[in-house]
Amino acid sequence: MPSTSVRFQDGYSSLSLAVGNTPLAFIAVPGGSGFWAKLEGFNPGGIKDRPALHMVRQARARGDLKPGATIIESTSGTLGLGLALAGIVFGHPVVLVGDPGMEPLMRRLLTSYGVRLEIVAQPHAVGGWQQARREHVQRLLAEIPGSYCPDQYNNPDNVDAYAGLAHELLARLPHIDVLVCSVGTGGHSAGIFNVLHRHFPDLKLVGVDTVGSRIFGQPGRPRLMRGLGSSIHPRNVAYDSFSEVHWVGPAEAVWACRTLAARHYISGGWSTGAVTLVAGWLARATAGQTIVAVFPDGPWRYWDTIYDDEYCHANALLGTVPNDEPDLLEAPTDREVHRWTRCADVSDPLGSMR
């Protein structure tokens, strides 16, 4: 796939230079001061433009990805957009493996960007759609000579890609007390925290997951929310860095997204809604602290889910107003959670099995 973008040097083009330096907005919170939101939806495809470009650039530098070779990866959507961008910038065909939950708009966008998109038909019995996608990726790697998988779930380059975002925050804010991040692959929470923690040793990292996700020790269940949560345990999740984790339900995330839009003319998807709910509570509960929340993308992808009344009615997502306080869980395995819940006991569910 030849690149049609203006090229300055290997890996830097008019397209790749559009990634980063995203806005930082202050979100006022009733009953509290508020928090800062890093608006990653202003990247061409969202927050995962950063790791997609970095993982591909590093793989090329190491020789793991040869010129013109095929990139193959599993995605729920946002990394797929980033890899489509990287494919155009660096001149690689891209094959992506999704599942039936991928939105029609996302499918059309990816194919319009020249991606070959394959959709798996059945979830894995234990690992759900993510494991089914990953197994299909392995089959494609065996079929396509010289192909390369970035493996976003376990690739340390995914983590390192977010150093730039952390430095953008350092350039704007003299001090940060709390960082709030959604958790899926674990890349951006680990990558941003690694840099900020060197400057602010007392920084607290608060993870935001979805109900039905296995990442922090809860049982895996079918999930409406995409972009955060996982039915597998990615190695990039830096469990030792988290001060606490919150699980948020889809109806609570919808309420937060729509409320954010109505009050601030800013919004996003499932991750943004969940992060907004948690960051708003922290702003009320920890007066005087500087809180930064990362909004991974904007609202456009979710026009037929979060912002569609018919979809929300069909999935019982309207009419739920979250509690003022989250439920409290002493340990992640104490009980299965179904609504907004927090836990300060964070550890790797696999422990020594890693």
Side-chain angles (χ1 to χ4, degrees), residues 25-299:
F26 188 75
I27 308 297
V29 173
S33 58
F35 62 91
W36 292 96
K38 187 67 163 149
L39 306 183
E40 287 293 286
F42 280 80
N43 288 310
I47 191 171
K48 290 192 177 181
D49 288 349
R50 297 180 189 259
L53 287 166
H54 186 70
M55 288 189 293
V56 169
R57 187 179 291 118
Q58 293 301 104
R60 285 167 57 90
R62 289 190 299 265
D64 297 338
L65 175 61
K66 304 300 182 184
T70 301
I71 299 168
I72 305 174
E73 180 60 295
S74 158
T75 183
S76 63
T78 309
L79 182 73
L81 292 175
L83 288 174
L85 171 62
I88 292 170
V89 167
F90 291 102
H92 293 277
V94 177
V95 180
L96 298 174
V97 179
D99 61 60
M102 182 180 285
E103 302 89 344
L105 175 60
M106 181 61 67
R107 298 189 195 196
R108 293 168 187 163
L109 276 174
L110 290 172
T111 55
S112 73
Y113 294 148
V115 165
R116 174 179 143 197
L117 180 62
E118 300 201 1
I119 304 295
V120 296
Q122 297 292 333
H124 186 274
V126 177
W129 289 113
Q130 278 162 315
Q131 187 60 28
R133 297 194 319 244
R134 284 164 57 79
E135 291 184 355
H136 191 67
V137 166
Q138 292 304 311
R139 290 192 289 271
L140 290 171
L141 288 169
E143 294 171 6
I144 302 175
S147 55
Y148 171 77
C149 175
D151 188 13
Q152 60 170 321
Y153 306 100
N154 305 302
N155 187 343
D157 291 336
N158 181 7
V159 175
D160 295 342
Y162 292 101
L165 194 159
H167 285 287
E168 290 168 24
L169 292 172
L170 290 169
R172 293 287 306 277
L173 299 171
H175 188 77
I176 301 173
D177 296 290
V178 184
L179 175 67
V180 187
C181 295
S182 57
V183 184
T185 68
H188 81 265
S189 54
I192 301 169
F193 181 81
N194 286 348
V195 175
L196 294 184
H197 188 250
R198 294 198 292 268
H199 295 264
F200 312 123
D202 295 327
L203 177 70
K204 293 182 178 180
L205 175 61
V206 177
V208 183
D209 200 358
T210 171
V211 297
S213 165
R214 295 180 185 272
I215 295 177
F216 291 96
Q218 283 280 301
R221 304 291 185 220
R223 306 187 306 276
L224 280 179
M225 296 168 69
R226 300 175 68 79
L228 74 167
S230 180
S231 51
I232 61 175
H233 295 93
R235 287 200 299 268
N236 279 335
V237 178
Y239 291 97
D240 291 345
S241 298
F242 289 96
S243 297
E244 61 185 75
V245 60
H246 292 239
W247 295 271
V248 175
E252 294 161 328
V254 166
W255 177 89
C257 283
R258 292 183 173 212
T259 302
L260 181 67
R263 291 178 179 172
H264 299 282
Y265 202 73
I266 294 171
S267 201
W270 301 108
S271 296
T272 294
V275 164
T276 296
L277 182 66
V278 174
W281 174 76
L282 287 165
R284 296 191 301 272
T286 56
Q289 294 201 330
T290 300
I291 299 166
V292 172
V294 179
F295 288 5
D297 61 7

